[in-house]
Amino acid sequence: MKIGITCYPTYGGSGIVGAELGLELAKRGHSVHFISYAPPMRLGDTPRERVHFHAVDMFTYPLFEYPPYTDALASKLKEVALEQELDLIHVHYAIPHAVSAYLAREMLKPQRHLPVVTTLHGTDITLVGRDPSFLSITKFSIEQSNAITTISDYLKQATQEEFCIACPIDVIYNFIDADYYRREPNAALRKSIAPHDEKIILHVSTFRPVKRIADCIAMLARLRSLESGSGSRFGVKLLMCGDGPERAEAECLAWRLGVEENVIFAGKQPQAQVRDYLSIADLLVLPSQSESFGLVALEAMACEVPVIATRVGGLPEVVKEGETGYLFDIGDVEGMAQAALQLLNDESLRQRLGKRGRDIALANFTTEKIIPQYERLYKSLIAERSDPW
Ligand code: GMT
């Protein structure tokens, strides 16, 4: 098949999933054409067979305070679909990609059938899409898609309820390459982060308000005081991987709470570095306000890292309470710190939860299980080509 994929090229889960999906499809012999304003970060610099990138051309003009990207993307999608004879377009994150894909499909109608698949990822439904300025166009463009998928059951229900959408929605979970995400000892890296053999708590995100990164810092401070009262001092480093609008405030908070020496702000990191950090982590913490899946929790499980997270959105579909980690109410810093103390004090518990996490990742979320679900969906849509249009 010849598949066009549009996603955000920057850091963030929907861009990662769109890019990884394209790479996996190319490995399976399909031609993949990414269409966006920049090459997705996950593609890296190495040219890959059957993977192509088409940049959206943006014409600038002094009149445009807000250059119309939606229109430019629609034109590019149409152009690439014609030139490359695409079989379908798959967009990740509804806003504004689903509108552009709809426009491209309608423009092409006299010439060719171009099914559109829209995968919803999270805040396109739960936050941004609900804003009155986006609500009706988001609902319209989702409903106009030839197929809709969500990355968790939670998000499917949220879409049906919030947007009153009655069309069928397929849940296709996010996935990991379990050969890539696996625990590999790395003593040198561990020593560079925790020179005195401290325990390592990892957080990875885009540091947006929805991630509540201040809770990671507050949890660390509480853990430190619990630890000194418990008589078993193990020492701890909190490795904050990523960057975004909440970083400066979190740095100030670490200083105010007197834990700045225990926190490392590593900044944005390439995928291989995140994988290596996961491999040396003792615990992943994800205290999000809302999370429709939590891809990094799955990556952590594949690397045998227990997860402490909030009981929100799709996280309970990924992190199995008591089996692969512990879930708490939003803002329950005390509960998270107590659980962290217990886990960091008990290596056999950590290993048991870690191993179970990998088992669950292997059983439910591997590329081998998930990619064929997308392939089947694509084939069914392409087969509808005989419809009069
Ligand atoms: O919806 C967002 O906030 C953006 C999106 C992204 O691009 O990072 O994240 C969502 O998609 C990821 C991949 O499917 C999920 O793992 C994240 O849970 C989800 N984020 C939220 O729901 C906040």
Side-chain angles (χ1 to χ4, degrees):
M1 287 179 274
K2 292 181 182 167
I3 299 149
I5 293 186
T6 288
C7 59
Y8 283 103
T10 46
Y11 289 86
S14 61
I16 292 173
V17 172
E20 292 284 350
L21 171 62
L23 295 175
E24 288 295 331
L25 289 165
K27 275 193 219 161
R28 286 161 171 77
H30 305 291
S31 287
V32 177
H33 294 263
F34 287 99
I35 303 135
S36 190
Y37 60 84
M41 301 286 305
R42 276 284 163 114
L43 299 192
D45 295 330
T46 331
R48 301 181 200 227
E49 231 182 315
R50 295 182 291 276
V51 176
H52 312 271
F53 170 68
H54 307 267
V56 176
D57 315 305
M58 284 301 294
F59 176 79
T60 53
Y61 188 64
L63 190 63
F64 298 152
E65 198 179 340
Y66 305 103
Y69 178 68
T70 310
D71 301 30
L73 174 60
S75 298
K76 196 72 186 179
L77 287 170
K78 178 195 169 211
E79 179 193 310
V80 176
L82 268 182
E83 279 176 13
Q84 306 296 332
E85 301 182 330
L86 297 185
D87 290 307
L88 62 79
I89 287 177
H90 186 172
V91 299
H92 293 263
Y93 204 88
I95 305 166
H97 303 147
V99 175
S100 303
Y102 160 75
L103 290 172
R105 184 191 69 195
E106 295 303 302
M107 284 190 282
L108 275 171
K109 249 186 186 158
Q111 286 143 290
R112 58 182 290 125
H113 174 58
L114 185 69
V116 170
V117 180
T118 298
T119 292
L120 306 171
H121 281 268
T123 51
D124 44 356
I125 296 301
T126 58
L127 193 75
V128 188
R130 281 168 57 178
D131 187 87
S133 60
F134 286 121
L135 186 85
S136 61
I137 186 87
T138 306
K139 175 175 159 63
F140 173 80
S141 60
I142 293 172
E143 285 175 332
Q144 288 296 319
S145 306
N146 299 78
I148 309 162
T149 77
T150 58
I151 44 84
S152 63
D153 262 322
Y154 154 79
L155 193 60
K156 173 177 175 172
Q157 274 178 41
T159 306
Q160 287 167 333
E161 283 161 21
E162 305 275 345
F163 287 80
C164 300
I165 285 179
C167 351
I169 298 179
D170 288 320
V171 176
I172 304 185
Y173 281 122
N174 285 338
F175 53 87
I176 37 104
D177 176 343
D179 289 329
Y180 186 80
Y181 286 100
R182 57 165 61 244
R183 200 160 185 89
E184 305 276 4
N186 187 336
L189 180 63
R190 207 183 155 98
K191 189 134 189 89
S192 72
I193 303 293
H196 304 294
D197 205 25
E198 297 93 334
K199 300 288 184 253
I200 300 173
I201 301 178
L202 178 64
H203 172 81
V204 185
S205 80
T206 49
F207 290 23
R208 283 175 294 155
V210 73
K211 303 291 176 181
R212 290 184 67 98
I213 62 170
D215 284 0
C216 300
I217 311 288
M219 185 200 91
L220 171 72
R222 181 66 186 134
L223 172 65
R224 295 259 301 142
S225 65
L226 288 171
E227 185 203 347
S228 53
S230 76
S232 61
R233 287 194 71 95
F234 41 74
V236 60
K237 290 281 183 186
L238 171 62
L239 179 54
M240 299 289 288
C241 183
D243 209 344
E246 299 293 294
R247 175 172 173 164
E249 193 130 327
E251 283 178 333
C252 282
L253 183 64
W255 181 79
R256 281 210 313 276
L257 296 178
V259 292
E260 75 276 17
E261 303 271 299
N262 301 83
V263 188
I264 298 164
F265 284 92
K268 282 182 188 166
Q269 296 295 332
Q271 178 191 20
Q273 185 66 66
V274 174
R275 188 264 319 262
D276 292 349
Y277 283 157
L278 284 166
S279 229
I280 57 159
D282 294 298
L283 187 61
L284 179 94
V285 61
L286 194 59
S288 307
Q289 176 85 30
S290 138
E291 201 69 73
S292 55
F293 185 90
L295 186 58
V296 72
L298 173 60
E299 292 169 348
M301 283 161 54
C303 293
E304 301 177 35
V305 183
V307 178
I308 287 184
T310 35
R311 194 178 291 107
V312 295
L315 274 170
E317 294 171 59
V318 184
V319 180
K320 300 294 164 213
E321 175 89 68
E323 281 186 68
T324 71
Y326 299 107
L327 299 173
F328 295 90
D329 290 342
I330 297 163
D332 184 2
V333 168
E334 177 66 27
M336 294 185 218
Q338 296 276 2
L341 179 72
Q342 189 195 0
L343 272 165
L344 295 179
N345 256 329
D346 187 343
E347 190 174 348
S348 71
L349 176 65
R350 275 203 316 279
Q351 280 180 359
R352 182 158 55 77
L353 266 58
K355 294 236 175 302
R356 185 79 185 117
R358 179 146 179 99
D359 288 347
I360 289 183
L362 288 178
N364 303 320
F365 300 110
T366 57
T367 49
E368 292 79 5
K369 293 216 176 296
I370 304 296
I371 308 300
Q373 297 178 32
Y374 280 116
E375 287 177 297
R376 277 196 292 277
L377 176 66
Y378 296 165
K379 279 187 193 139
S380 71
L381 293 172
I382 295 168
E384 284 169 13
R385 189 174 280 207
S386 51
D387 286 356
W389 26 266

